[in-house]
Amino acid sequence: MTTQTNSSSGSCCGSGDAVDVQGVGLTTTYRVTGMTCGHCESSVSQEISALDGVTAVKAVAKTGEVTVTSAAPLDEDAVRAAVDEAGYELVGRA
C-alpha cells in the first residue's frame, strides 16, 4: 500500500497534513486534549463519526490523537465543533 502526503516538504512523517491512502479516502490526525479513558475515546469518535463524509475514526486517549478517515477534506471548524460537543478540546492537527 502506498501513501502520499499533501505536504509541500515531501516528508511522509509529522506533517499533520491529510494523507490520501489508496482506495480509502483522506486520513487526518488531530490533537485533542482532555481524553483520559475508553469512554472519552468513544464520545469523541461518536461525535466526529456523525460528520458528513467521515468513514472511520480512531481516538487514542493515551496520545491525545484522533485519526479521521473521510471521503473528502473536512472543515476543521466542523471537527472542532464535534469535539467540543463531546466535551473535549481540539488543539489542531497532529
Side-chain angles (χ1 to χ4, degrees):
M1 177 184 279
T2 59
T3 303
Q4 300 173 337
T5 64
N6 295 331
S7 173
S8 60
S9 69
S11 172
C12 65
C13 302
S15 68
D17 289 339
V19 178
D20 186 7
V21 181
Q22 281 186 344
V24 177
L26 292 171
T27 301
T28 308
T29 302
Y30 299 94
R31 302 277 303 155
V32 174
T33 60
M35 295 188 301
T36 59
C37 65
H39 179 266
C40 300
E41 294 169 347
S42 178
S43 295
V44 169
S45 294
Q46 183 176 4
E47 290 296 333
I48 294 174
S49 292
L51 297 174
D52 286 340
V54 172
T55 58
V57 179
K58 178 176 174 118
V60 180
K62 184 175 181 177
T63 63
E65 291 187 345
V66 179
T67 303
V68 181
T69 304
S70 57
L74 297 174
D75 177 54
E76 192 162 322
D77 288 337
V79 176
R80 185 176 313 280
V83 171
D84 287 347
E85 182 66 27
Y88 304 93
E89 182 181 353
L90 177 70
V91 177
R93 292 185 182 195

